[in-house]
Amino acid sequence: MDTFIQQLINGLSLGSVYALIAVGYSLVYSVLLFSNFAHGGFLVIGGYICYFVLRSGGANIWVASIAALIGAGVSAIVVERLAYRPIRERTPITLYMLIASMGMSIVIENIFVVTVGGRFRALPPVIPTDPVNFFGLATTSAFDILSLVTAVVFLAGLQLFLVKTKWGLAIRAASYNLKTAGLMGVNVNRLISIVFFVAGLLAGVGGIFLSVRYTLYPQLGMITTKAFVAAVIGGLGSLPGAVVGSLILGVAEMLTAGFISSQFRDLVVFGILIITLIIRPTGLFGKSVGEKV
Amino acid sequence: MKKVLALLAIIFVICAAGVAFAAEPIKIGYLAALTGDYAQYGITEVNMAKMVVADINAKGGILGRKIELIPYDTKTRNEDAVNAVRRMIESDKVCAIVGANSSGINIATAPIVAKGQTPQISTVGTNPLVTVDNKGNVRPYSFRICFTDPYQGALAADLAYKDLNKKKAAILYNVGSDYAQGLREFFVKDYEKLGGKIVADEGFRETDVDFRAQLTKIKNSGADVLFLPGMGKDMALAIKQAQELGLKAVIVGGDGYAEFMNEIAGPAMKGTYYVNHTYLDDPGMAPIFKRYKEVYKDDCKEFVNGTMAYDGMYWLIDAIKRAGKAEGPAIAKALEATKGLKLHHATLTIDPKTHNPLNKAGIILKVGDDLKTKFYKKVEPK
């Protein structure tokens, strides 16, 4: 029983970080109907900004985090302007944007390989990782709890943004139909920039937490493959779906590794994906296109 | 008269060409991971090799010719390494190759260097199959400068069972790595022979970064020692996550250990042990590490790789001198016949039956409270 609770906590904390990234995938998908595979790149950008501000600037974690989130958000806007907008303006076929995003993800990764090098970098111990005992039942690290809490805070913030603000309303409108929203007077380009900024910002949060947990290196964005799978399981375009999918995936991974064998881990992950797609092709929460956000 | 002039001209051209040919540099290939997971190890190796080449060239080269180093990136992938070695042999026409540091890559390139008759010296490829094939026959063009996994596994088992007095061991290893598989196998064999018990044997895949599920199992297995036959990043993440889960077992690793693990895992590294080929304060290497710092403005953090690359280059250069010509088969013969060669970190004698060094000492390192790796003990082979 102890082991089960322990593995469950491990799984939830892993799932919560997936969730931050998966939500970014879903957000972009809900508006533009394509999966932005460069998303992992924003995570890496956020991680490196945080690292360099902390190391060279001598700043504290708050300053570094804010710089990282804004930096990741802005770079997402830049990528959209450079790579996706020209395509978006020429063709309605989103497949080309998908391919462009794969290219951008390689570009971002290699920019880091060339400029800062492929070595592993560890963030200074800004986030406590001491073991925390749960009523003698399980031991987890303070970091796991913090990452779970942060994910919840940011996801709640996103929900508020979407429900309470004018731009949130515009995004929700655009997710029904981007063209019509444009005809109704929504500045579509600005709207898309905002969507990318928010997605990049969330990736930046994920980037900081993943760099603390798994160290920072240019290929760290690879981790987003799992987050993408989680978003698909939850239903691409659905934010609650992305969260639920991530938690399912995190827990499934840990339980598989803990009770069957770690070598079955990816098999189970992709097995769940395939089964979900067979039973519910739109994912768990993917409903009709109209209710995506 | 015209004929004589023409003849003279031809003779002159031939002589000039001859001179040019004699002055053509001896090309040595260097195979290393310069990008990807093992880039830290590879960059250090190439830096060291460049230092050796500069030194030798400053003294006039060997056999009256300068040396040219041709480094290639394996990208930490077997397929890229195979392509790199093909290019080295076929288009660059290198006479020998130093590197790579990982067993898997050397096993993958072994048939190609054999076909191309170009000797290859692995720096830290410890799996037996690097120099000997499945049937037990020696690979004629594959060599290594390090000791092998059976020896390393025995040292680790000895350390865990006798020195640390731990009787229940757990293992966490990369199932896709030839190196990790081999080292694990030999550790298990020797540890059980000593009387120890393996209570958990957990695997993970190459791309995994989260080992908490396996570590939870290991914690619950009651193991008092955890053996990590892995590479730097994997081991560092495992050590860090083990501490987060409150795992109390003493951690013992192999020569995949690297100084950058201290940066990743931080205080969790305290009190961990490693079996290795050399140590940072080795009197033979200390001045070289000092120079490395002056030249590259950085500590030689991956000192094991640095040492093996440095001495590997000197071993090869010595073999070329003894061979008297820069041709693969002759160099391979000279490498095979190496006896009592005084290098910087050890004196090298090669076993012609296995192409492994004989009588290399093992070093046990321990990470101290100040996160500095310290010499723990030296084990001379029996």
Side-chain angles (χ1 to χ4, degrees):
Chain A
M1 189 62 198
D2 292 8
T3 319
F4 180 77
I5 292 171
Q6 178 80 66
Q7 301 289 22
L8 203 63
I9 294 172
N10 291 346
L12 286 176
S13 84
L14 182 67
S16 67
V17 181
Y18 284 165
L20 282 172
I21 303 159
V23 163
Y25 269 113
S26 263
L27 199 60
V28 170
Y29 186 90
S30 70
V31 175
L32 289 176
L33 295 174
F34 92 104
S35 302
N36 177 21
F37 283 115
H39 198 66
F42 309 146
L43 175 154
V44 177
I45 291 171
Y48 274 104
I49 292 175
C50 184
Y51 176 86
F52 283 112
V53 173
L54 278 174
R55 285 269 155 171
S56 53
N60 65 28
I61 181 66
W62 297 106
V63 177
S65 300
I66 290 167
L69 301 197
I70 292 174
V74 170
S75 56
I77 295 178
V78 172
V79 166
E80 198 276 326
R81 286 274 167 95
L82 288 177
Y84 307 149
R85 188 184 289 183
I87 298 172
R88 191 155 52 78
E89 283 168 352
R90 281 175 184 80
T91 166
I93 302 168
T94 54
L95 179 68
Y96 296 113
M97 285 204 279
L98 186 85
I99 295 163
S101 75
M102 287 175 178
M104 280 314 292
S105 108
I106 295 167
V107 168
I108 295 172
E109 183 186 315
N110 281 293
I111 285 175
F112 281 102
V113 169
V114 173
T115 55
V116 300
R119 64 172 293 198
F120 303 102
R121 287 161 202 274
L123 253 54
V126 283
I127 301 177
T129 53
D130 314 312
V132 173
N133 204 304
F134 263 110
F135 318 108
L137 280 173
T139 309
T140 184
S141 78
F143 174 80
D144 282 338
I145 299 167
L146 196 64
S147 71
L148 197 67
V149 170
T150 310
V152 170
V153 167
F154 272 90
L155 294 175
L158 174 67
Q159 195 58 34
L160 280 178
F161 169 74
L162 289 174
V163 177
K164 298 280 179 195
T165 66
K166 208 175 83 182
W167 280 110
L169 181 70
I171 291 171
R172 282 184 292 143
S175 78
Y176 279 89
N177 192 322
L178 185 63
K179 259 204 184 113
T180 316
L183 292 173
M184 303 301 266
V186 174
N187 182 338
V188 170
N189 280 335
R190 188 180 295 169
L191 174 91
I192 289 171
S193 289
I194 288 173
V195 166
F196 269 84
F197 182 80
V198 173
L201 186 138
L202 293 173
V205 180
I208 295 170
F209 277 91
L210 287 174
S211 330
V212 172
R213 178 174 283 167
Y214 304 130
T215 78
L216 188 56
Y217 50 100
Q219 292 83 16
L220 181 67
M222 298 261 283
I223 268 175
T224 55
T225 316
K226 293 265 177 69
F228 174 70
V229 171
V232 175
I233 291 173
L236 258 180
S238 157
L239 299 191
V243 176
V244 172
S246 299
L247 295 180
I248 290 176
L249 211 60
V251 171
E253 263 192 59
M254 285 296 174
L255 293 184
T256 310
F259 292 100
I260 305 169
S261 160
S262 53
Q263 291 161 54
F264 282 90
R265 197 160 158 164
D266 286 358
L267 202 70
V268 168
V269 165
F270 289 97
I272 293 177
L273 175 69
I274 292 165
I275 292 167
T276 314
L277 290 180
I278 291 171
I279 298 171
R280 280 185 74 100
T282 51
L284 297 177
F285 285 70
K287 293 174 196 155
S288 63
V289 181
E291 290 172 67
K292 270 183 317 202
V293 170
Chain B
M1 190 62 193
K2 260 190 186 167
K3 266 186 188 164
V4 174
L5 274 178
L7 202 66
L8 278 175
I10 290 168
I11 290 169
F12 179 76
V13 168
I14 290 171
C15 285
V19 170
F21 185 74
E24 206 169 80
I26 293 175
K27 290 179 177 173
I28 295 176
Y30 205 105
L31 189 64
L34 302 176
T35 51
D37 271 10
Y38 305 159
Q40 282 307 296
Y41 306 100
I43 292 166
T44 307
E45 290 197 7
V46 171
N47 283 348
M48 275 294 193
K50 280 183 181 158
M51 255 168 63
V52 173
V53 170
D55 287 353
I56 298 285
N57 285 344
K59 288 181 195 149
I62 44 170
L63 309 178
R65 293 158 69 181
K66 301 257 176 204
I67 300 175
E68 187 188 341
L69 192 75
I70 303 180
Y72 270 95
D73 183 8
T74 66
K75 299 183 184 143
T76 318
R77 287 202 302 235
N78 289 4
E79 56 272 32
D80 285 287
V82 165
N83 286 336
V85 167
R86 282 217 174 97
R87 278 180 63 183
M88 282 187 204
I89 296 173
E90 283 161 20
S91 49
D92 297 318
K93 313 264 184 227
V94 301
C95 67
I97 299 166
V98 183
N101 69 326
S102 84
S103 297
I105 284 182
N106 280 283
I107 293 169
T109 57
I112 300 154
V113 295
K115 209 173 147 214
Q117 301 192 316
T118 309
Q120 180 181 22
I121 299 175
S122 174
T123 46
V124 205
T126 45
N127 191 301
L129 292 176
V130 168
T131 56
V132 177
D133 66 17
N134 282 319
K135 292 185 194 119
N137 300 321
V138 67
R139 302 182 194 265
Y141 287 89
S142 297
F143 297 84
R144 82 174 100 222
I145 188 169
C146 52
F147 55 58
T148 58
D149 287 336
Y151 182 57
Q152 188 178 182
L155 283 181
D158 229 49
L159 171 72
Y161 192 85
K162 288 188 188 154
D163 289 37
L164 304 174
N165 196 25
K166 305 289 180 198
K167 313 291 185 214
K168 286 188 284 180
I171 301 170
L172 180 66
Y173 71 103
N174 176 353
V175 294
S177 152
D178 289 334
Y179 162 69
Q181 288 273 18
L183 191 50
R184 161 182 163 269
E185 188 190 320
F186 296 113
F187 174 82
V188 171
K189 219 168 90 190
D190 285 293
Y191 191 73
E192 285 179 339
K193 213 194 295 170
L194 287 169
K197 203 169 163 242
I198 306 290
V199 290
D201 187 11
E202 295 293 314
F204 61 88
R205 286 167 34 116
E206 192 77 46
T207 49
D208 286 355
V209 284
D210 199 295
F211 313 120
R212 286 174 298 167
Q214 294 95 315
L215 289 166
T216 302
K217 267 170 100 175
I218 287 169
K219 189 182 166 196
N220 293 336
S221 75
D224 49 16
V225 57
L226 169 61
F227 181 56
L228 298 174
M231 296 299 285
K233 186 188 95 182
D234 302 338
M235 286 200 280
L237 289 175
I239 292 168
K240 191 175 165 203
Q241 290 164 17
Q243 190 214 26
E244 286 170 19
L245 292 170
L247 185 76
K248 292 284 185 292
V250 178
I251 290 169
V252 173
D255 68 338
Y257 162 84
E259 282 287 292
F260 68 75
M261 289 166 59
N262 290 346
E263 196 186 324
I264 296 176
M269 292 292 292
K270 284 180 201 167
T272 53
Y273 292 83
Y274 293 89
V275 176
N276 226 318
H277 308 268
T278 180
Y279 54 109
L280 198 53
D281 307 321
D282 182 340
M285 286 304 292
I288 297 159
F289 293 140
K290 204 174 143 228
R291 241 190 75 216
Y292 185 98
K293 192 172 180 176
E294 283 161 17
V295 175
Y296 297 107
K297 310 275 174 275
D298 192 14
D299 286 317
C300 184
K301 289 192 194 98
E302 275 57 73
F303 60 87
V304 174
N305 286 79
T307 301
M308 295 304 173
Y310 196 83
D311 273 353
M313 287 295 289
Y314 268 103
W315 178 24
L316 177 62
I317 286 162
D318 173 74
I320 296 174
K321 277 188 202 156
R322 279 187 285 123
K325 53 185 170 184
E327 281 168 15
I331 297 171
K333 249 192 209 120
L335 286 171
E336 198 173 86
T338 305
K339 242 188 211 115
L341 172 66
K342 185 92 190 68
L343 292 172
H344 302 84
H345 83 286
T347 303
L348 196 67
T349 298
I350 292 297
D351 179 358
K353 280 187 237 100
T354 57
H355 287 183
N356 296 331
L358 289 167
N359 302 321
K360 277 199 85 174
I363 307 290
I364 312 259
L365 302 169
K366 186 184 181 186
V367 180
D369 285 344
D370 55 356
L371 289 188
K372 290 259 160 60
T373 311
K374 297 196 170 71
F375 176 80
Y376 178 69
K377 73 176 204 179
K378 187 171 188 169
V379 185
E380 297 290 351
K382 284 159 209 145

